[in-house]
Amino acid sequence: MKRFFYPFILLMLIACQEQGGKTPAGYVDPFIGTDFHGHTFPGATVPSGLVQLSPDTGTEGWDWCSGYHSSDGTILGFSHTHLSGTGASDLGDILFMPTRTPAFVPGSKDNTDNGYRSRFSHKFEKAEPGYYSVYLDDVRALVELSATAHSGVQKYGFETNEDHYVTIDLSHGIYDIPTECFIKKVSEFELEGYRRSSGWADDHTLYFYVKFSGPFISMSSMVDDSISLESADSVKADRVVSVLQFSKDLYDLQINVGISYVDIAGARNNLESEVGNADFETIRKKAYEDWEKALSVVKVEGDNVRKKIFYTALYHSMIAPYIMSDVDGRYRSSNRNIYKSNEPNYGLFSTWDTFRALHPLMTIVAPEKNNQFVNSLIRYYEESGRLPVWDLNMRENFCMIGYHSIPIITDAFFKGARIDSEKALEAMINSSTEDSYLGLGDYRYYHYMPFDLQQNSVSKALEFAYDDWCIAKFAKALGKDEIYNEYIKRAQYYKPHFDSIDTFIKGRDSHGCFRKDFSPTQISILGVNDFTEGNSWHYSFFAPQDVNTLISLMGGDEKFIEKLDELFNSVTVTDGAAPDVSGLIGNYAHGNEPSHHSAYLYAFAGQQWKTAEKVAQICSQLYSSERDGLCGNEDCGQMSAWYVMSSMGFYEVTPGSCDYILGSPQFDTVIINNANGNRFQIIADNLSDDNIYIGGATFNGNEYSKGYITHDMILSGGTLVLKMQDEPDKQFAQIIEDRPHSVISDNVFTSEELLSEITFDPYIDVEERFFKDSIVITPKSENDAEIYYTLDGTIPTVRDNIVKAPITLKEDCVLSLVAKDRTSGVLSRCTTARFYKGRIEQGAKITFPAPAEQYSGEGSITLTDGLIGGSTHASGRWLGWNGGNFEISVELPTPRKISYVGVDFYASVDTWIALPKNFIVEFESDANGKIISREVIIPDGTDRQKGSYLFGTDCDVIVKNLRIIIPENTIPAWHRFRDNKAWIFIDEILVK
């Protein structure tokens, strides 16, 4: 017996969906963002639901961060946890897949016959809020997915009357490593277990409980990739894949899976509480209703395609953060302990992204839930000792920069959130005084962030400064004047990075000098350079706490406007662009967060019409209703939240200010149904594709001339009418009183005043660190300060040698320098440089296999020029090979007695670059031709800090030729990118 009607029924369902769209949920298309670099998933979830049950089409490659990409034509299974739009991978826990034969491995995309993977067609695929379905060609079955907050519900409709199988792959994950998997048969209808893994989020465990609508006949398991299969009812190992056999008479199978981060009992209780005995359609209907209720907070009227983009964006904005506590209130905290809360506890806070628009949007459309988000952040501090930076399922991964939980809390507080304000301030101060975090100690000491001490230095300083403004404002509201005075000063630490000569924000070193090799288009990649996933064009406009001062620094309104125009209108140049830097208009990059506020800055300089122009351009060009409708990573809702707010007609440039800057609305009518019962309405009168400019406004019938609205206006309700036209009204919101403003107006410090409190570090202007016979060093200071030095690595004092003439070095040494200001007597920090005697003499012949083209330095001279490659592998002074397994041969001009051979390597915890585990030095004795071999063992974990490392071996032999053999290497287990092939970087060979 066969059933042939599934594809036909699915086509009918899809056709019905396309004819709908009369309610907010009906406009949502979860496939938007699943192509290009959107990194979204199309599967089933509910608002802020822990379960995100979705198909996985692949797990390797940057565009598979969510497990799904529309370019694929095969599915390997359906897992219960996913990330929405992130730029890194994890999760993909507890994967199920129906099959026609027992299959324990996924197989390949090219050959689905060699595993449980199946081909499918996008033609027979459907998604709506809380529901996903697909017809699997190889399985000849229809798979339907739905969800509750803690449970996933699957329905398999088998077409044939042969034996049916279901693979449960606990080893599967999206770029993480399983470390312990457990599955146990409870009955012929039930399973339970857990999956422990480590990835982007380190060691974490997800528990599950499964209930089937029909009995399974048998369970077999493959353990640790072994071909031997076990029929045990309970299996525990690092990697476990189990296959269940079901009767051929079972055409329809419903699988209910409850999950929990607390324990198995919690997973079972979650499932019984939320699903119980409900059938699939009941769960699907409830999930859809949940979405309908959440999305109906905002109603828009206008173009149907824009409504599809809008409601899908609002949908994506409501996926994360998601609930981490069980239905009984228990949750496992970041400290591994179990707590219980009277309100839901949430996780997955991508704060670097979402402080900008996602959380400000939530203060409008879901204020109570955002209040719970904020309380979750404060609980996180109480339990772990710090506010989260990037919390992934209650595990801190320290991705990105700043301490952006603070603006999230501050913005919510000033919009009425109910929080423990004293505890919140305590948490803020704790996070902002942890000197070991991202160079925060350097930032506090120098009043800026030196690029020679910290990568991404400029971005760190600017974002710290904004966060510090949030602390200052929060402290002032609590009457903490001393704290306010300290942090309002820190909020101005962006100023020393501003160069008045070319009006760019740029890197400055610890000696006080701006970067000499500055390029405003240079993109930072993998932690390298002065900016985080951006360049100076993107960050030169980031001082949201002090926009008006930034305008003044750039020369006033006219010059500021010219600079913004150049950002948007100049020829696109993104030197060394990372894939995150996408969605380009000139040098503006909407595909990544640092640019998101820039279009709204025109309004601060009196040209709101240009804000309207740019916002309309971004909305129309960089968002669409197609699968590739996001121009960059969704980033847990930020990309979509920008569109939701902007298409309603406004955006909060400075979260914490409670002011929303007017842009260019995309809908005839927007109605916000506030939680307090008041209704705020925006009417865009005479709106069209050409009528993008505001030509005047009224609020509740009275003339309204300002270029912004306030949060209180939205909460109080009323009607804002914007009169739209096709020509700019250059007078609208042009006068100072009508412009938005953001300015630090008291305790103001200039850049010069901030720098006057510092004694800059002394420095040396020679780059050589390896020398043959001797080297002459002349220490200098930008302050014209007295300089003291030592040669043994100890920190100099005023009792040590004072520099009165150049210093000649003739042996290995560690040169340490300290400067003393001649007026204040303030000492600088200590500058240290290590020098090595043993530079390879000219005429030596060095051969090696070609390094990677982008890391080829100056060729062989890179290994003998005496220069240290520096603190970044992209400096042009390093040679880089992927994976090792090569040798470097050195033929000396004449035989020499050798006492030591060393190699200077680079390592980074932020990239795929690691030290080799070992290497071999072979000497060919000139006396008798004998080969002498020395192995150099590098202790695991040595390179836990980014930088250069010299390793070598002693010897005592006359040598003409030598070889350095680097074996193939993988990244060590403790490293973020564990088990991948390691890049090996070398910049110098030392021969004594």
Side-chain angles (χ1 to χ4, degrees):
M1 177 181 177
K2 298 182 179 180
R3 304 194 298 182
F4 297 103
F5 51 87
Y6 279 113
F8 175 75
I9 290 176
L10 193 54
L11 273 176
M12 292 296 292
L13 288 172
I14 293 172
C16 291
Q17 181 194 35
E18 290 171 348
Q19 294 170 9
K22 294 184 179 180
T23 64
Y27 284 103
V28 174
D29 181 1
F31 289 116
I32 294 177
T34 60
D35 207 341
F36 189 57
H37 300 322
H39 296 187
T40 62
F41 63 85
T45 190
V46 295
S48 303
L50 176 61
V51 166
Q52 299 175 350
L53 180 56
S54 189
D56 293 338
T57 64
T59 59
E60 295 181 358
W62 189 66
D63 276 329
W64 283 262
C65 289
S66 73
Y68 181 99
H69 197 265
S70 284
S71 62
D72 284 325
T74 65
I75 287 175
L76 60 87
F78 307 92
S79 60
H80 285 74
T81 61
H82 291 87
L83 293 169
S84 181
T86 56
S89 307
D90 207 328
L91 307 184
D93 299 287
I94 324 299
L95 179 136
F96 282 69
M97 183 63 174
T99 62
R100 297 174 65 187
T101 58
F104 294 86
V105 295
S108 67
K109 294 182 180 181
D110 296 331
N111 182 9
T112 58
D113 294 332
N114 60 7
Y116 56 71
R117 187 188 296 268
S118 174
R119 291 167 295 174
F120 77 103
S121 168
H122 292 307
K123 182 179 180 181
F124 299 117
E125 190 181 27
K126 177 186 177 183
E128 67 182 25
Y131 176 79
Y132 171 88
S133 64
V134 65
Y135 182 79
L136 300 178
D137 295 343
D138 295 326
V139 186
R140 296 169 70 179
L142 174 68
V143 174
E144 298 179 89
L145 311 177
S146 192
T148 66
H150 301 85
S151 304
V153 181
Q154 304 173 69
K155 183 180 178 182
Y156 299 161
F158 296 103
E159 186 178 309
T160 64
N161 65 338
E162 56 195 4
D163 287 335
H164 309 302
Y165 299 87
V166 175
T167 298
I168 305 174
D169 191 343
L170 300 184
S171 65
H172 168 83
I174 304 174
Y175 215 78
D176 73 351
I177 305 297
T179 56
E180 185 178 299
C181 299
F182 171 69
I183 191 167
K184 176 184 176 181
K185 176 183 176 181
V186 178
S187 74
E188 61 187 353
F189 291 91
E190 301 165 284
L191 296 171
E192 64 184 24
Y194 58 81
R195 180 179 188 267
R196 186 176 184 181
S197 62
S198 187
W200 194 19
D202 67 3
D203 187 23
H204 64 288
T205 303
L206 182 67
Y207 302 89
F208 64 89
Y209 169 77
V210 187
K211 193 167 185 177
F212 300 94
S213 62
F216 56 89
I217 300 170
S218 65
M219 181 176 82
S220 299
S221 299
M222 182 173 74
V223 176
D224 292 337
D225 302 325
S226 170
I227 60 172
S228 62
L229 306 179
E230 299 183 7
S231 298
D233 290 342
S234 177
V235 181
K236 182 189 292 185
D238 290 350
R239 306 173 68 88
V240 173
V241 182
S242 297
V243 172
L244 309 181
Q245 180 183 359
F246 291 84
S247 167
K248 65 179 67 177
D249 298 323
L250 190 68
Y251 285 100
D252 294 296
L253 176 64
Q254 181 170 321
I255 305 173
N256 302 335
V257 181
I259 65 173
S260 167
Y261 279 97
V262 178
D263 52 29
I264 291 175
R268 182 169 189 158
N269 187 39
N270 289 339
L271 182 65
E272 291 176 345
S273 299
E274 295 178 347
V275 177
N277 296 319
D279 62 14
F280 182 86
E281 287 304 318
T282 299
I283 298 301
R284 175 186 175 182
K285 181 180 178 182
K286 176 63 165 57
Y288 192 87
E289 289 173 348
D290 288 347
W291 277 112
E292 189 66 62
K293 180 180 179 181
L295 297 170
S296 294
V297 171
V298 183
K299 293 188 177 181
V300 297
E301 295 298 334
D303 179 80
N304 281 340
V305 173
R306 288 182 179 177
K307 289 168 81 171
K308 183 177 181 180
I309 300 169
F310 177 86
Y311 281 114
T312 303
L314 187 58
Y315 164 85
H316 280 141
S317 300
M318 293 180 170
I319 290 177
Y322 47 61
I323 191 166
M324 293 297 297
S325 51
D326 287 346
V327 294
D328 62 5
R330 295 183 306 148
Y331 63 94
R332 190 176 296 275
S333 184
S334 58
N335 62 13
R336 303 293 205 279
N337 295 328
I338 297 173
Y339 297 87
K340 189 171 184 177
S341 173
N342 293 326
E343 69 172 8
N345 194 71
Y346 292 88
L348 198 81
F349 288 97
S350 177
T351 66
W352 185 81
D353 306 290
T354 59
F355 85 87
R356 305 167 198 265
L358 186 281
H359 286 281
L361 173 63
M362 291 300 107
T363 66
I364 299 171
V365 301
E368 181 59 31
K369 182 173 285 187
N370 195 65
N371 200 149
Q372 294 169 357
F373 293 162
V374 169
N375 284 330
S376 297
L377 294 173
I378 296 172
R379 279 193 293 272
Y380 194 105
Y381 161 72
E382 292 179 293
E383 294 153 5
S384 69
R386 69 176 339 276
L387 289 168
V389 175
W390 213 119
D391 161 60
L392 176 49
N393 292 12
M394 307 305 289
R395 304 302 301 156
E396 178 62 79
N397 64 30
F398 289 108
C399 187
M400 311 311 291
I401 61 173
Y403 25 85
H404 294 314
S405 288
I406 289 169
I408 294 171
I409 296 170
T410 299
D411 191 55
F413 173 74
F414 284 105
K415 294 174 181 176
R418 302 178 310 281
I419 65 173
D420 183 339
S421 55
E422 293 289 342
K423 182 63 67 175
L425 182 59
E426 175 189 315
M428 293 177 181
I429 293 173
N430 173 276
S431 293
S432 63
T433 53
E434 189 177 340
D435 284 352
S436 61
Y437 170 67
L438 294 181
L440 189 53
D442 295 329
Y443 164 81
R444 296 172 67 195
Y445 179 85
Y446 291 97
H447 302 171
Y448 63 95
M449 186 71 81
F451 70 76
D452 55 330
L453 302 182
Q454 289 291 320
Q455 298 292 347
N456 292 186
S457 58
V458 181
S459 298
K460 289 176 181 177
L462 269 57
E463 295 190 28
F464 283 154
Y466 163 65
D467 292 342
D468 288 341
W469 174 83
C470 292
I471 298 174
K473 186 173 183 182
F474 197 97
K476 189 170 187 177
L478 299 186
K480 312 285 187 180
D481 291 342
E482 186 175 346
I483 297 174
Y484 168 77
N485 290 334
E486 175 186 354
Y487 280 89
I488 202 66
K489 179 179 180 181
R490 284 174 52 164
Q492 300 170 70
Y493 286 3
Y494 74 93
K495 292 178 180 178
H497 285 285
F498 180 80
D499 188 346
S500 60
I501 302 299
D502 58 10
T503 67
F504 277 107
I505 294 281
K506 60 180 64 171
R508 194 170 201 142
D509 63 23
S510 59
H511 319 305
C513 302
F514 284 118
R515 181 179 284 280
K516 294 181 175 61
D517 56 348
F518 170 75
S519 167
T521 58
Q522 180 64 54
I523 299 289
S524 297
I525 305 176
L526 296 175
V528 175
N529 216 298
D530 296 342
F531 300 92
T532 301
E533 294 185 2
N535 59 26
S536 183
W537 270 118
H538 307 145
Y539 271 96
S540 287
F541 298 99
F542 188 84
Q545 75 280 19
D546 205 14
V547 176
N548 295 88
T549 299
L550 185 62
I551 292 172
S552 296
L553 290 173
M554 289 193 179
D557 294 343
E558 185 177 342
K559 294 293 185 183
F560 185 74
I561 295 294
E562 288 177 3
K563 192 84 168 182
L564 273 174
D565 284 345
E566 190 176 357
L567 167 70
F568 284 98
N569 300 330
S570 58
V571 176
T572 298
V573 180
T574 51
D575 298 341
D580 303 75
V581 183
S582 57
L584 298 170
I585 300 176
N587 280 300
Y588 172 87
H590 192 71
N592 210 25
E593 280 65 29
S595 290
H596 275 191
H597 68 293
S598 299
Y600 287 89
L601 297 180
Y602 284 105
F604 288 82
Q607 292 194 2
Q608 191 281 332
W609 65 273
K610 281 195 174 180
T611 284
E613 195 172 76
K614 297 299 183 288
V615 169
Q617 181 182 7
I618 295 167
C619 286
S620 63
Q621 291 184 8
L622 301 179
Y623 292 86
S624 82
S625 61
E626 303 301 318
R627 290 190 178 219
D628 62 355
L630 292 174
C631 66
N633 299 163
E634 166 66 3
D635 283 320
C636 296
Q638 168 59 27
M639 190 70 67
S640 288
W642 187 97
Y643 183 86
V644 171
M645 295 187 77
S646 293
S647 64
M648 288 194 294
F650 55 83
Y651 187 83
E652 188 175 23
V653 166
T654 312
S657 69
C658 302
D659 290 342
Y660 302 101
I661 317 308
L662 292 177
S664 181
Q666 301 296 296
F667 298 99
D668 300 318
T669 303
V670 175
I671 299 174
I672 299 172
N673 297 302
N674 289 307
N676 61 12
N678 296 331
R679 188 176 77 167
F680 184 75
Q681 183 173 230
I682 301 174
I683 297 174
D685 187 26
N686 200 34
L687 178 69
S688 70
D689 289 345
D690 294 324
N691 295 347
I692 63 173
Y693 301 101
I694 300 174
T698 62
F699 181 61
N700 291 338
N702 300 313
E703 183 180 352
Y704 190 80
S705 59
K706 298 188 182 300
Y708 62 94
I709 59 175
T710 68
H711 191 73
D712 284 344
M713 289 171 64
I714 295 175
L715 287 186
S716 299
T719 299
L720 177 70
V721 178
L722 303 176
K723 301 170 185 177
M724 309 305 295
Q725 58 189 44
D726 62 356
E727 291 292 333
D729 180 352
K730 297 184 180 181
Q731 301 307 309
F732 179 73
Q734 192 277 328
I735 64 173
I736 299 294
E737 292 78 7
D738 288 339
R739 301 179 189 180
H741 60 278
S742 175
V743 63
I744 297 173
S745 56
D746 59 353
N747 289 11
V748 175
F749 292 84
T750 65
S751 175
E752 291 73 19
E753 289 170 334
L754 291 171
L755 296 178
S756 68
E757 301 175 7
I758 303 164
T759 301
F760 291 123
D761 298 351
Y763 63 97
I764 51 177
D765 58 2
V766 295
E767 298 181 88
E768 291 86 356
R769 292 295 185 270
F770 296 81
F771 59 91
K772 184 180 178 183
D773 297 315
S774 65
I775 188 170
V776 177
I777 305 299
T778 304
K780 297 180 180 180
S781 169
E782 287 298 311
N783 299 81
D784 189 29
E786 295 176 344
I787 302 175
Y788 299 85
Y789 73 96
T790 61
L791 298 176
D792 58 3
T794 59
I795 298 177
T797 69
V798 293
R799 295 185 295 273
D800 288 302
N801 299 316
I802 187 170
V803 175
K804 296 182 177 178
I807 304 168
T808 300
L809 305 178
K810 296 183 178 181
E811 301 294 338
D812 290 5
C813 72
V814 178
L815 174 64
S816 300
L817 305 169
V818 166
K820 176 185 174 183
D821 188 274
R822 297 179 188 274
T823 302
S824 67
V826 174
L827 295 176
S828 73
R829 284 186 170 184
C830 180
T831 297
T832 299
R834 186 179 292 274
F835 291 87
Y836 303 95
K837 183 177 183 179
R839 182 171 171 181
I840 296 179
E841 60 194 284
Q842 290 185 351
K845 181 180 179 182
I846 300 181
T847 57
F848 47 79
E853 182 179 356
Q854 68 270 40
Y855 303 122
S856 56
E858 298 294 328
S860 62
I861 195 173
T862 302
L863 302 179
T864 62
D865 60 8
L867 305 180
I868 292 289
S871 59
T872 165
H873 68 277
S875 66
R877 294 178 179 168
W878 292 94
L879 302 182
W881 294 265
N882 190 8
N885 194 25
F886 64 93
E887 67 177 52
I888 300 172
S889 298
V890 180
E891 181 182 346
L892 300 175
T894 58
R896 290 185 53 191
K897 185 173 183 179
I898 301 298
S899 61
Y900 178 88
V901 173
V903 182
D904 195 57
F905 296 95
Y906 180 79
S908 172
V909 294
D910 299 323
T911 66
W912 288 264
I913 304 170
L915 299 179
K917 296 177 177 62
N918 67 311
F919 64 94
I920 307 295
V921 180
E922 288 186 350
F923 308 93
E924 182 177 336
S925 172
D926 186 64
N928 52 26
K930 181 180 178 181
I931 303 297
I932 301 172
S933 180
R934 296 281 192 273
E935 181 180 16
V936 180
I937 304 294
I938 300 177
D940 185 35
T942 300
D943 52 347
R944 289 181 183 265
Q945 297 294 323
K946 183 187 300 184
S948 62
Y949 295 83
L950 179 69
F951 290 96
T953 180
D954 295 322
C955 55
D956 185 13
V957 62
I958 298 175
V959 173
K960 179 70 163 60
N961 302 314
L962 61 91
R963 287 181 297 277
I964 299 166
I965 303 169
I966 312 291
E968 177 127 15
N969 278 279
T970 56
I971 297 176
W974 56 263
H975 197 283
R976 172 182 171 187
F977 299 104
R978 66 183 66 80
D979 297 328
N980 288 281
K981 188 181 293 186
W983 279 83
I984 304 298
F985 276 73
I986 299 174
D987 79 335
E988 198 73 19
I989 296 175
L990 174 65
V991 177
K992 293 185 181 180

